[in-house]
Amino acid sequence: MGVKTVMRTLCICLRIVGISVPNLKQRGESATLTCDYDLEGGKLYSVKWYRDNEEFYRFMPRLRPPQHAHKLDGVKVDLEKSTARRVHLRDLTLKSRGLYRCEVSEEAPSFHSAQAEAFIEVYYFPRETPRITGHDHAYKLNEPLDVNCSSAKSFPAPDLQWLIDGQKITDRSWLIVYGAMPAPQGLLVSTLGLRAPTNHRMKLKCVATIGTHRRERTATIGKLFYL
């Protein structure tokens, strides 16, 4: 999985904060988010973490213990693996996805602060392959092919593509794009139709992808009736 780093300075008086988070994680996995800062001789007052503007973790050196986690749906903090510069999340769910922000503040008298944020996407991609329908009846020669491919229940909605005899179909006039349909537990199903001229024998393949993950299903159109 890739890691993205976003850096932002709020004004010339503030410390620079860099946040590094995994940009794509699978449901059930863990994630370590890091917050890098330079106090330039000052003392740390607090480090706070937010998801979509709701605080879920703070580190304050003056307190004992210095760490504290707030309850937030989809965010489970492992305090033993979390410090002033990182927070470890376990058992990610689809509700864990969101915009994460770390905010660093200096001790008095300055109380300077700085912040940075980055988005974490959480996905679910089951082992099931896509389902092809409409291929199992006899087509007449040159009768337009009328088939659909539907993904398994996933999140986010998978990207779908059709191949005929190994060649990816890019002609949009042959494709019918249906909107993603909701499924239980917040999942989604993608469907892509294929309307193409038939030939004597055709090998169809539908490929569903999320990020670098893919599932595929093949079907053969081989029994044709002639006019």
Side-chain angles (χ1 to χ4, degrees):
M1 297 298 176
V3 173
K4 59 185 177 183
T5 301
V6 180
M7 302 189 73
R8 182 175 68 180
T9 304
L10 299 182
C11 75
I12 59 174
C13 62
L14 303 181
R15 308 285 76 78
I16 296 176
V17 178
I19 181 175
S20 181
V21 306
N23 57 7
L24 186 65
K25 297 292 288 186
Q26 186 167 356
R27 188 177 74 175
E29 291 183 333
S30 300
T32 299
L33 291 57
T34 61
C35 188
D36 192 22
Y37 49 88
D38 184 358
L39 297 174
E40 297 183 1
K43 291 185 178 181
L44 178 66
Y45 175 70
S46 69
V47 178
K48 297 179 181 180
W49 281 89
Y50 303 82
R51 188 204 63 194
D52 297 333
N53 294 320
E54 292 187 78
E55 184 182 343
F56 64 87
Y57 174 77
R58 66 171 57 186
F59 185 96
M60 301 184 70
R62 286 190 170 190
L63 301 182
R64 290 294 179 268
Q67 303 144 297
H68 181 74
H70 302 280
K71 289 185 178 181
L72 186 59
D73 198 10
V75 178
K76 295 181 180 180
V77 177
D78 189 332
L79 289 176
E80 292 185 358
K81 296 182 179 180
S82 301
T83 67
R85 294 184 181 270
R86 70 173 183 268
V87 58
H88 186 80
L89 307 182
R90 54 186 176 83
D91 301 327
L92 297 176
T93 72
L94 298 184
K95 293 183 179 180
S96 304
R97 65 190 297 268
L99 188 64
Y100 286 78
R101 182 175 87 247
C102 72
E103 183 180 271
V104 181
S105 299
E106 270 188 345
E107 271 280 16
S110 69
F111 285 112
H112 287 161
S113 65
Q115 60 184 357
E117 60 189 20
F119 193 87
I120 297 179
E121 180 66 89
V122 179
Y123 73 95
Y124 173 68
F125 202 27
R127 294 178 179 271
E128 290 87 352
T129 58
R131 184 168 61 96
I132 297 177
T133 57
H135 67 287
D136 52 359
H137 74 273
Y139 283 92
K140 296 177 181 180
L141 187 62
N142 295 324
E143 177 187 0
L145 188 66
D146 186 1
V147 294
N148 287 330
C149 174
S150 296
S151 70
K153 296 185 288 290
S154 313
F155 189 88
D159 292 323
L160 296 177
Q161 66 180 34
W162 278 106
L163 293 87
I164 298 180
D165 298 329
Q167 297 296 315
K168 181 180 177 180
I169 302 304
T170 58
D171 188 338
R172 293 183 178 273
S173 67
W174 289 15
L175 302 173
I176 299 178
V177 180
Y178 299 94
M181 297 296 294
Q185 300 179 338
L187 303 178
L188 297 169
V189 173
S190 296
T191 300
L192 181 64
L194 176 63
R195 309 294 185 265
T198 56
N199 206 331
H200 290 281
R201 186 175 180 86
M202 305 168 68
K203 184 177 181 180
L204 308 178
K205 179 185 289 186
C206 177
V207 180
T209 58
I210 294 180
T212 59
H213 301 275
R214 59 185 281 153
R215 306 282 188 268
E216 59 185 51
R217 175 68 66 89
T218 59
T220 300
I221 305 296
K223 295 180 179 179
L224 302 173
F225 290 118
Y226 294 85
L227 291 172

